[in-house]
Amino acid sequence: MEYNLLLQSLQAWDEKHTQYLQEICRQNSKHSEFVNHIIDIFCKENQLQHPTSWIIKYFVDSRQPIQQKQINRILQQLDTLEHWGSQLHILQIVPKVHLTKVVAKNIQTTVKKHMHSEKKFVKAAAYQAYYEIVQLQPQLKEEFLEICNEAVVRESASVQSKIKKIIAYLKISL
């Protein structure tokens, strides 16, 4: 799909029905420039970060090929994301993609900030993403374990569940 048509299609999304976004993917996934167009729109069009982040997550979940430089570009946008759904989508892909040490260091502060999100799903995804960062930066393990131990007492049940799993993994690797 040509860039401007793709832009128009994304603007027409009702922000509810993801089948619409799946159909955009189905119709265009064979086009060589589709992934590049989605990432360009994700990076340049703030008002379209939500549908494009959903499509990016869909690609990652369905194991569509995304190059490392594209992954790095996507993750570098994490600090600019305003919609909680976009934050969630990008945090959720962190454990599923190859994370370089450089990118991990670059997104560390932002991911840590999202561990204090008002949205429990974003918060839980941020803890998981931060765990992935800690795997590349072992010097952060003890501090992260302490943060998790403190958070497991005060967080909602759904976030506690995620943190308890992370604590178990951290204890194994210490």
Side-chain angles (χ1 to χ4, degrees):
M1 181 179 281
E2 192 251 311
Y3 186 88
N4 288 330
L5 289 174
L6 180 57
L7 203 58
Q8 291 172 359
S9 294
L10 292 167
Q11 289 167 336
W13 182 48
D14 67 2
E15 298 190 27
K16 293 179 189 154
H17 298 94
T18 57
Q19 299 91 335
Y20 179 82
L21 298 176
Q22 282 179 318
E23 186 60 22
I24 290 174
C25 291
R26 191 191 65 71
Q27 290 176 0
N28 296 287
S29 62
K30 302 277 189 257
H31 299 290
S32 61
E33 287 300 307
F34 182 60
V35 173
N36 284 329
H37 288 335
I38 289 295
I39 294 169
D40 283 344
I41 293 168
F42 172 74
C43 293
K44 295 175 184 174
E45 305 289 337
N46 286 350
Q47 76 278 11
L48 294 175
Q49 286 177 338
H50 190 209
T52 54
S53 67
W54 187 93
I55 290 172
I56 290 166
K57 183 179 180 308
Y58 181 79
F59 278 158
V60 170
D61 288 346
S62 59
R63 300 184 184 269
Q64 299 285 333
I66 301 179
Q67 298 172 1
Q68 187 63 48
K69 66 180 181 177
Q70 294 170 317
I71 296 294
N72 295 349
R73 186 173 178 213
I74 291 163
L75 294 176
Q76 289 169 349
Q77 294 297 311
L78 187 57
D79 194 35
T80 69
L81 302 178
E82 297 172 11
H83 190 279
W84 73 269
S86 300
Q87 296 165 358
L88 176 63
H89 297 147
I90 301 308
L91 289 166
Q92 286 175 325
I93 71 167
V94 170
K96 299 174 183 179
V97 298
H98 175 72
L99 194 61
T100 66
K101 287 183 179 183
V102 171
V103 172
K105 189 161 181 59
N106 289 343
I107 66 171
Q108 174 187 343
T109 302
T110 302
V111 171
K112 196 172 188 179
K113 177 184 77 174
H114 286 303
M115 291 178 352
H116 303 286
S117 174
E118 292 180 17
K119 301 289 186 181
K120 64 183 174 184
F121 295 120
V122 172
K123 189 180 294 193
Y127 274 94
Q128 185 65 51
Y130 201 80
Y131 173 77
E132 300 301 323
I133 292 168
V134 168
Q135 297 309 304
L136 295 171
Q137 298 181 50
Q139 71 276 13
L140 299 174
K141 279 185 183 176
E142 287 186 28
E143 176 192 358
F144 186 49
L145 180 58
E146 189 176 309
I147 290 168
C148 289
N149 283 327
E150 292 170 5
V152 80
V153 177
R154 71 174 185 276
E155 295 297 346
S156 67
S158 59
V159 178
Q160 280 180 3
S161 174
K162 176 68 77 180
I163 294 171
K164 286 177 183 177
K165 289 176 186 172
I166 291 169
I167 289 170
Y169 293 137
L170 287 169
K171 286 183 177 178
I172 291 170
S173 65
L174 279 178

